[in-house]
Amino acid sequence: MIDLQRNSTPMSTDKRLLLIPVENQVRELDPKLLLACIAAQRGFSSVIGSRRELEFRIDSYPKSIYLSKSMTKRSLLFFRMAKKFDHEIVTWDEEALVHLPPETYFSRRLHPDAIRQVAHLFAWGQDNVELWHQYPDLPGDLPIHAVGNPRIDMLRPEMRSFYADEVQALRETYGDFLLINTNFNHVNAFGEDMNLFQPVKNPGETAKFGRAAKGMSRAYAEDLWSHKQAVFKDFQQLIPMLDQAFPGLNIVIRPHPTERHDVYKDLAARCSRVHVTNQGNVVPWILAARAVLHNGCTTGIEAFIMGVPAISYRASINENIDNGFYRLPHAVSHQCFSYEQLQEALQQILDGKPVMSDGGERQTLIERYLASLSGPLSCTRMVDVLESMPGDSRDASGPSPAERLQRTMIAGGYHLYKLIKPMLPGSHNRPTFQRHRYPPLPMETIKLKVERIQRILNDSTRLKITQLSDVLFEISA
C-alpha cells in the first residue's frame, strides 16, 4: 500500500533524511528509487529527484545525508554550502568503473578540497578501492566501502523483472534486433567545444583542447582522439554492411547521451532496417536484444552481467587505450578484429550457438571490478553504512541569531549564483538542458515504479510518497 501526498517541504522530520540527487533521469532514477525503497524499510526518509532543484533547496532541509555521484572541483562549492547547513556528504563516482589512467582520472574526477568534505566513499569494487588509494590527496581516515552501485543491482537476476513490460514492448516493436551502443562523444559531441579538440579556424593552427580533454596531457588526448576517430569511421562503414548481410535482423543504434545523432540518422536513411533512438533506460534494450555490439562501452559490461551476448568490434586497435581505459568492457566481451569475424560471430548467435566459453576468467575479472553481484544488494550494503553514521547531534535550541543571519546570507548568495550560472556562455546548466535530462514526472509514474520494486522485493512496508515539486519526491515509511 502506498499513500500519496503533495507538499512543498519534506514532512518526515522525525526520520533521518537522505538526499538522493538524480542528474540523468533515464539512467539513474530507477536504481536510486530502489535505494530509497530499501532505505525506507530501515527507517530513513529520502528526497529524490532533479539534482539541480534538490541542490537549489539545500538550505531548506533538516540535517541530512547527501549522496553525491562525484567529487570534482565543480562539486566543491555545493559541498561547502551543504556543510554550512549541517549536511553530511557520502560519495561514489559514476566514472570510476571504466576509468582513464590514474593520473588523468585524478585530475578530472577528484579535487583535494572536495574529497575532504566527504564522510564516506562508496566504491564499485576492489579495483575502484585500489584506484582511490593511489590518490595522493586521499584523507588517511576516509572510509572506503566496496559496496557496488545501485545501477548494478538492477542487472541482477532478481531485479530484471522490473523491466519485463518494456522488454516485451521492444521485442514486439523491433523483433530480432542487434543493439549498437556508441560512445564517440569525444569526437562526435553535441557541441564542438565538448569534443577532445575544438576545430581549427586556419590551416596549420594547433587545435585547442575541448571540454572532453580536460585534465589530460596533450599526448594522451591526441592518442585518444586518433583512436576514437578511427573506431568511429569503422562503425560508420560497418553498419550498412550489417544491414545488407543480415536481412532478418533489425539494427538499433543508441548514441551516447551527449553525442550528435545526425551521422547515425544519415546512415539509417541509406539502410533498410536501421533505427536510431535514445528512448528509455538502456537495460530493457539490452535484455530485448539478440546481441550487443560496442567498442569500449559500459553496456558491454551490463550485457555480460545479464547473460546477453556482447561483441566488442576492434577493427582499429590502440593497445595503450584498449588495454587501459577500455580494458574491462573489451575483456568481458567477445572480441572481433575484422568484419569477417564479426559476421561469423553474429551468425552463431542468431543460430543459438555460444560465442564465448563458459570459463571462469571473465567472472573472476568482473568480480574484482564489481562488488555485490551476489548476496545482499548494493543498496542494502549502502544503507548498512548510512545507518552506522552518527545521528543528529545539534544543539536542540538551534543556531544562534548570528548563525541564522550568516546562513541566510550564504543561502542568498548561493541561490543568486545558481540563477546566474545558467545564463553564462557555454553553460550546461541552462533550464532547457536540465529539463531535457530530468523532465517533470507525474506522481503516478513514481508510484508505479515504487510498487514494482516492492513486489520484486516482496516488501509489504506501507510507504508514503510526497510530491514536493514536479521533479522532487519524498519517499518514507
Side-chain angles (χ1 to χ4, degrees):
M1 180 68 70
I2 296 177
D3 298 324
L4 304 180
Q5 297 186 12
R6 286 177 171 84
N7 209 315
S8 60
T9 56
M11 298 299 295
S12 302
T13 54
D14 59 324
K15 299 178 181 293
R16 298 193 67 185
L17 184 63
L18 302 181
L19 303 179
I20 307 179
V22 178
E23 192 167 35
N24 185 319
Q25 185 185 101
V26 166
R27 183 172 69 174
E28 300 172 37
L29 179 61
D30 295 342
K32 288 183 174 179
L33 279 174
L34 173 63
L35 176 60
C37 288
I38 291 175
Q41 293 176 1
R42 309 268 285 272
F44 285 91
S45 175
S46 298
V47 174
I48 182 170
S50 164
R51 174 184 173 181
R52 181 177 184 274
E53 184 158 346
L54 191 153
E55 292 187 352
F56 189 80
R57 296 180 175 208
I58 193 63
D59 59 308
S60 69
Y61 303 118
K63 181 176 180 179
S64 313
I65 301 173
Y66 178 88
L67 299 178
S68 177
K69 52 178 278 187
S70 63
M71 42 197 148
T72 63
K73 184 176 182 180
R74 286 187 296 176
S75 307
L76 181 57
L77 175 62
F78 172 75
F79 283 5
R80 287 174 171 166
M81 177 73 177
K83 297 287 279 187
K84 287 288 185 183
F85 288 89
D86 299 315
H87 302 297
E88 293 290 337
I89 298 166
V90 175
T91 307
W92 65 73
D93 182 13
E94 289 289 341
E95 306 300 327
L97 178 60
V98 178
H99 61 80
L100 289 155
E103 295 77 11
T104 305
Y105 167 81
F106 296 153
S107 64
R108 290 169 61 89
R109 300 296 304 172
L110 304 181
H111 188 276
D113 292 332
I115 201 169
R116 281 194 285 270
Q117 308 295 322
V118 175
H120 291 265
L121 289 176
F122 288 148
W124 289 82
Q126 186 58 33
D127 178 82
N128 187 181
V129 172
E130 294 176 7
L131 173 68
W132 282 341
H133 276 304
Q134 296 178 53
Y135 183 52
D137 292 306
L138 179 74
D141 59 348
L142 179 58
I144 303 177
H145 311 272
V147 294
N149 188 283
R151 284 169 54 194
I152 302 303
D153 283 347
M154 302 301 293
L155 312 181
R156 287 179 45 158
E158 59 266 49
M159 292 303 303
R160 291 175 203 163
S161 62
F162 181 88
Y163 297 107
D165 292 344
E166 290 94 329
V167 170
Q168 181 62 29
L170 291 172
R171 287 175 175 164
E172 290 174 357
T173 301
Y174 295 98
D176 284 343
F177 69 91
L178 170 68
L179 180 64
I180 300 179
N181 285 282
T182 69
N183 61 338
F184 302 114
N185 51 308
H186 292 94
V187 295
N188 185 44
F190 275 125
E192 291 181 336
D193 65 327
M194 294 172 65
N195 289 314
L196 285 168
F197 292 98
Q198 300 180 38
V200 295
K201 296 181 180 179
N202 302 303
E205 284 185 351
T206 300
K208 296 181 179 179
F209 272 8
R211 290 176 181 264
K214 182 180 179 181
M216 297 182 184
S217 69
R218 188 168 192 92
Y220 187 87
E222 290 175 347
D223 200 24
L224 181 59
W225 183 89
S226 296
H227 180 55
K228 298 296 283 190
Q229 282 282 23
V231 178
F232 187 32
K233 290 178 182 177
D234 291 341
F235 272 70
Q236 292 175 63
Q237 295 170 359
L238 172 68
I239 291 166
M241 296 166 68
L242 292 175
D243 182 61
Q244 289 290 321
F246 295 93
L249 188 68
N250 280 304
I251 298 171
V252 175
I253 304 172
R254 278 185 64 96
H256 186 279
T258 59
E259 268 194 86
R260 292 166 50 192
H261 291 194
D262 52 348
V263 173
Y264 305 116
K265 289 181 177 178
D266 289 345
L267 286 171
R270 302 198 303 269
C271 297
S272 302
R273 292 167 308 281
V274 175
H275 313 269
V276 182
T277 180
N278 270 122
Q279 176 190 348
N281 188 296
V282 73
V283 175
W285 287 93
I286 296 173
L287 287 170
R290 294 298 303 273
V292 172
L293 180 64
H294 70 97
N295 181 289
C297 184
T298 307
T299 50
I301 302 169
E302 294 169 321
F304 175 78
I305 294 170
M306 294 188 289
V308 177
I311 299 174
S312 182
Y313 184 55
R314 299 183 59 194
S316 295
I317 298 172
N318 181 313
E319 296 294 352
N320 182 44
I321 304 296
D322 290 333
N323 290 329
F325 196 176
Y326 299 130
R327 176 176 179 252
L328 182 60
H330 286 325
V332 297
S333 303
H334 178 70
Q335 300 179 54
C336 294
F337 298 92
S338 68
Y339 172 73
E340 292 73 24
Q341 288 181 357
L342 174 59
Q343 187 177 19
E344 180 182 352
L346 273 177
Q347 191 60 59
Q348 282 185 246
I349 292 169
L350 295 175
D351 292 341
K353 300 175 182 177
V355 294
M356 292 198 300
S357 67
D358 293 329
E361 291 184 8
R362 289 187 176 92
Q363 188 62 32
T364 300
L365 180 65
I366 201 75
E367 289 175 359
R368 169 174 165 73
Y369 280 82
L370 288 172
S372 304
L373 291 174
S374 60
L377 294 172
S378 173
C379 290
T380 300
R381 301 179 197 224
M382 287 183 171
V383 175
D384 289 342
V385 174
L386 300 177
E387 276 189 327
S388 72
M389 296 177 64
D392 191 345
S393 59
R394 292 174 296 175
D395 185 344
S397 63
S400 67
E403 288 173 324
R404 283 197 293 269
L405 176 61
Q406 182 188 46
R407 290 182 178 189
T408 300
M409 295 175 63
I410 291 171
Y414 182 71
H415 291 159
L416 181 62
Y417 166 77
K418 296 292 283 188
L419 289 171
I420 293 176
K421 187 178 180 183
M423 304 175 189
L424 300 177
S427 172
H428 290 178
N429 289 280
R430 296 183 183 279
T432 52
F433 178 69
Q434 294 298 331
R435 289 281 165 154
H436 169 73
R437 300 190 78 181
Y438 199 105
L441 283 176
M443 184 185 287
E444 186 64 21
T445 298
I446 299 295
K447 176 178 178 287
L448 292 173
K449 287 177 179 290
V450 169
E451 286 178 338
R452 204 181 305 176
I453 289 170
Q454 286 196 284
R455 282 197 301 271
I456 293 171
L457 297 177
N458 195 25
D459 175 24
S460 59
T461 306
R462 188 184 184 101
L463 295 182
K464 179 172 66 177
I465 300 176
T466 303
Q467 185 167 9
L468 306 176
S469 75
D470 59 355
V471 292
L472 285 180
F473 297 84
E474 182 183 12
I475 298 174
S476 62

